[in-house]
Structures are given as structure tokens and as C-alpha cells.
Amino acid sequence: MRTNECHAQVIRRRAVASAVRRTALVLSLTAVTALAAPAATAAPVPASASASADGAAATGAAWSHGTGRDLARQTLPAGDGWASADGGTTGGAAADAAHVHTVTTWAQFRAALAAGGDAPKIIRVVGTLNATEGGCESFEAPGYDFDQYLADYDPAVWGYDREVSGPQEDLRAASAKNQDQAIKAYVPSNTTIVGVGRNAGITGASLQVKGVNNVIVRNLTLESPLDCFPQWDPTDGATGAWNSEYDAMVVYGSSHVWIDHNTFTDGRYPDSSLPRYYGELYQQHDGELDIVRGADLVTASWNVFADHDKTLMIGNSDSAGATDRGKLRVTLHHNLFSNVVERAPRVRFGQVDTYNNHYVIPADGYAYSFGIGAESRLVAEKNSFRLPEGVPAGKILKKWKEAPVTVAGNYVNGRSVDLLAAHNTQFPGEVLQPDAGWTPTLRTRVDHPRVLPALVTHRAGAGRLR
């Protein structure tokens, strides 16, 4: 017995020593940071909010790495990106007990969002909420038959010169409407949504932050919703295409939004797992995060965007200048973009500050990272890229429309690279102009790009909120 006890003590001492060495490694990496990372600001807890009316106290405060801090009442630190401007972003930090909810199902989550109007509210998510628990069959309109749909609109029968119409298309649209009503959740103003613990998330849903103000979403794994009823469009390109709906999150016409420490992923259903019909991919995914239609003052920090095609769009139409000019001010920092094909981000109109993000570029199918669109003013500084062999740095930028861009201090495979020069050399017919015409000032921490691969990989995403 004594021998076993001594052996156990040795193992414990080794484990402690190993943990100390790992801690020392992280500290050495972060020692080169230009500024210390700010702690999120904690709002005072209302006297009436010592316990939730529906059991939040029983399940415990949102996970805080054992520090005793209630993450649900943290607010965006001053100076942390565009969402900190003009009064800052506090979400539901001031919620009283009647407006603090702990949810374990999709139905509870939607009910909590609807309760109390725009009064400050906190919603703590425990476990994984499934918005499509009944499967696609539960949304099907009576009479809809996918096999019949395929037969009716087979290009050999229907051709490529007209859009589909008829009974099965009508039933597909009715089925799609059923899914739309079931999987969208509308987030009201003055709301904080935070995952509890390391494994909180939502699958099959689309969070709609639409026409509201002052919202915080943190510590959730958001698995991209699958469109059960994509539409076949034979006129889309030379050989037609399947088009899908539903982004994991949409910020539409809203302001003061902080999206922090979430993981956006296709999860169990990557595009590689999807079937093909009529020779084309049966595309069931849209975007992971869209910020559109006059949305403004948004900070997205320490998130993971993984394994997706059209990932993050800021501004969704060249013709939306009436709503988007002077808006779409967005900060993206310390996010990990891992194996995403394009739109990381694609920008129209907005002043977008993209700094200290880390990009792991896929070996196959890569299109671009920074899309320069109509009237955009993108600043991309001190980002890090890991490019596989055969993918040139010139592809990182993509010119969609004539607009200037500021790039500086970016690193590719551990070395400083002028991304603008690389692009203009590789694509002399699509020359981009320098100088976006503005200088970002709302930054609380700027790290050297060389530390980003380790720093962002180990600290970004759900379950890693400190």
C-alpha cells in the first residue's frame, strides 16, 4: 500500500510539473504582446438577481474557469473594437432575477427570448439545443416527394433555360417555410446569451439578431443549420446549382453586437458529406455569420470559423448603399479561420478592422480570404496565415470591385509578406489600390503575428472563455 501511495505521489508531482511547463510556454508566447489583454467588464448584479426565478442558481453561473466570475454579466471592455463605440455593449448584464433563464431545450430557448420584451435578459444555455430534433420529415408539406422533385426537374426533362415551377416546387417551398418558422430564433435588444461549461451549443438553428440593439453571444458551438429543402435553379450558371438558406447567425440592421468565444462549424455535416444530384453538389449550407443591411458597431473576437465554404459576409448586396453607407463598422480580432474556402470576410461598404486573426488555409478548393467589394474600406493588419504548398500568398486578397485596402504587418508561414504587392503581382489585371482612408483606434490588444498560431489556436472558440 505504501508503495502504491508513493507511486501516486510521484505521478501527481509529474503532472503538476508538466502543467507548470505548459503554463510557462503560454506565458512566453504572450510576453511579446504589445498590450495586455483586458478582462471583460463585469456589470453590477442587481440586488434582486441573486438567484434566477427559473433555476439558474441551481445550475450555477456561466462557466468562468473557476474564477468565481459570472460570465453572463460581463460586458464588452472599453475600446474593444467597433462595438465599444458610442456607449458600448452591455447585453443583458443588468437583468434582474425574473429575466435570467437557464435553458436545456430549443423550445425553452425560444420561449426565454420571447419573454420580457426588450428588458435586459440573460439566457444561459446548458448542453446542446437541437432545433431540428424531429428531422427534416417533420417539416415536409403533405404530398412533397423529393424523388418526384428530382424526376420532374431533371435537366434532361426540364432543361436549363427556365426556373423550376409546378406542384413539387410549390410543395418544396411550403416545406421550406415550415423549416424557416421552426429553426429561426429572434434575439431581442439588451440580451446576453452565454453557454454554460465547455460543451454548450446549438445545432440546426439560425440565430437572428434583427433590428435590435445591444446583444452579446458567447461560449457557444453553433453547428451550421442544414437546409432540408434546397431549391434547384437550372439557370444558375452553365449547369445549374442547388441554392440553400440559413446562416448560423445573422446580424441584420442591428447595432452594438459582441460575438465572442464561439465556434462556428459545419460539424457533423461538412460539404464533403453531402450528396450530388444532376451532377451538382446538393448544397445545404449557406453562411456561418452574415452582418448585413445597415448593421453597425459589431465586434467578433476569439471565435473559431471552421470547415465551411462561404463563411463571413459583411454587406450582402452592391445595391444596398442606401442602408449600408456609413454603417457596417465591424472589428474582427483573434479569430481562427480554419479550412474555410472564402469570405473571411467579404466586405461591402463598411469600415472593417481585421487584425490579429489566424488563418489555416485548406490545401484544396481555396478561393480567397479578404474579399474587397463595393465601397469597402478594409484594414487588414498583423494577421497570420498558414498556407499549404502550392497556394500562393497572392490569393489571400480578392478584388470584387474597385475599392482601396490597407494591409500591413501580415505574416505568411512565419514570414512578413506584403499581401497587396503579392496580389497585384499575381493578378495584374485586378490591381488593388492601397490606403483604406482611415486608421483604427479601437483596439485593446495587439499581438505579434508570430504568436498567433499558438495563441489563437489554444484560446479561441467555445469552451475556452477565460
Side-chain angles (χ1 to χ4, degrees), residues 74-118:
Q74 290 184 352
T75 62
L76 179 65
D80 191 351
W82 276 116
S84 68
D86 298 346
T89 301
T90 59
D96 60 21
H99 297 94
V100 179
H101 309 271
T102 297
V103 300
T104 60
T105 69
W106 179 243
Q108 290 175 355
F109 179 70
R110 294 219 297 178
L113 289 172
D118 288 339

Side-chain angles (χ1 to χ4, degrees), residues 225-296:
L226 278 177
D227 187 340
C228 295
F229 311 100
Q231 183 183 37
W232 172 247
D233 184 356
T235 68
D236 188 346
T239 57
W242 294 96
N243 294 317
S244 60
E245 300 288 340
Y246 314 124
D247 304 305
M249 185 184 300
V250 180
V251 181
Y252 184 114
S254 297
S255 62
H256 291 105
V257 179
W258 183 27
I259 303 163
D260 178 68
H261 275 96
N262 302 290
T263 296
F264 295 80
T265 175
D266 286 352
R268 298 165 295 167
Y269 306 106
D271 281 356
S272 60
S273 71
L274 303 180
R276 303 181 79 88
Y277 299 108
Y278 308 149
E280 299 298 321
L281 177 69
Y282 189 61
Q283 181 55 266
Q284 294 181 268
H285 294 128
D286 196 2
E288 290 189 324
L289 172 63
D290 278 6
I291 302 169
V292 299
R293 299 293 170 168
D296 199 23

Side-chain angles (χ1 to χ4, degrees), residues 351-363:
Q351 289 185 338
V352 177
D353 183 17
T354 303
Y355 76 94
N356 269 184
N357 302 287
H358 180 50
Y359 295 78
V360 179
I361 303 303

Side-chain angles (χ1 to χ4, degrees), residues 51-363:
S52 168
D54 61 356
T59 58
W63 174 57
S64 57
H65 276 289
T67 63
R69 293 181 292 114
D70 185 353
L71 301 180
R73 295 195 182 275
Q74 290 184 352
T75 62
L76 179 65
D80 191 351
W82 276 116
S84 68
D86 298 346
T89 301
T90 59
D96 60 21
H99 297 94
V100 179
H101 309 271
T102 297
V103 300
T104 60
T105 69
W106 179 243
Q108 290 175 355
F109 179 70
R110 294 219 297 178
L113 289 172
D118 288 339
K121 64 168 59 68
I122 291 169
I123 301 176
R124 295 183 171 115
V125 175
V126 177
T128 300
L129 315 183
N130 188 349
T132 56
E133 193 168 8
C136 289
E137 298 82 7
S138 64
F139 307 128
E140 289 182 358
Y144 176 70
D145 184 326
F146 183 58
D147 289 336
Q148 187 62 53
Y149 188 96
L150 289 176
D152 288 353
Y153 306 117
D154 189 322
V157 176
W158 189 265
Y160 291 100
D161 59 350
R162 55 189 176 130
E163 295 182 353
V164 297
S165 61
Q168 281 300 314
E169 169 57 21
D170 293 342
L171 291 169
R172 184 210 62 81
S175 302
K177 183 177 180 180
N178 292 338
Q179 182 181 7
D180 184 278
Q181 293 173 345
I183 73 167
K184 287 184 176 178
Y186 291 86
V187 181
S189 295
N190 307 313
T191 296
T192 292
I193 303 170
V194 62
V196 176
R198 296 178 181 269
N199 300 303
I202 302 175
T203 68
S206 179
L207 295 184
Q208 302 282 312
V209 185
K210 187 171 183 179
V212 297
N213 178 64
N214 195 28
V215 170
I216 296 173
V217 181
R218 306 180 80 193
N219 197 41
L220 291 173
T221 294
L222 301 171
E223 185 178 272
S224 303
L226 278 177
D227 187 340
C228 295
F229 311 100
Q231 183 183 37
W232 172 247
D233 184 356
T235 68
D236 188 346
T239 57
W242 294 96
N243 294 317
S244 60
E245 300 288 340
Y246 314 124
D247 304 305
M249 185 184 300
V250 180
V251 181
Y252 184 114
S254 297
S255 62
H256 291 105
V257 179
W258 183 27
I259 303 163
D260 178 68
H261 275 96
N262 302 290
T263 296
F264 295 80
T265 175
D266 286 352
R268 298 165 295 167
Y269 306 106
D271 281 356
S272 60
S273 71
L274 303 180
R276 303 181 79 88
Y277 299 108
Y278 308 149
E280 299 298 321
L281 177 69
Y282 189 61
Q283 181 55 266
Q284 294 181 268
H285 294 128
D286 196 2
E288 290 189 324
L289 172 63
D290 278 6
I291 302 169
V292 299
R293 299 293 170 168
D296 199 23
L297 303 178
V298 178
T299 297
S301 55
W302 298 97
N303 301 287
V304 171
F305 298 90
D307 307 317
H308 199 80
D309 186 353
K310 298 173 181 178
T311 304
L312 200 170
M313 183 161 61
I314 301 172
N316 63 353
S317 174
D318 290 357
S319 62
T323 58
D324 290 354
R325 286 189 186 95
K327 304 287 184 68
L328 298 179
R329 292 174 291 179
V330 179
T331 299
L332 307 173
H333 74 82
H334 293 94
N335 299 290
L336 172 63
F337 293 88
S338 178
N339 294 315
V340 303
V341 174
E342 60 182 297
R343 298 184 183 177
R346 177 174 175 175
V347 183
R348 297 177 174 93
F349 298 103
Q351 289 185 338
V352 177
D353 183 17
T354 303
Y355 76 94
N356 269 184
N357 302 287
H358 180 50
Y359 295 78
V360 179
I361 303 303

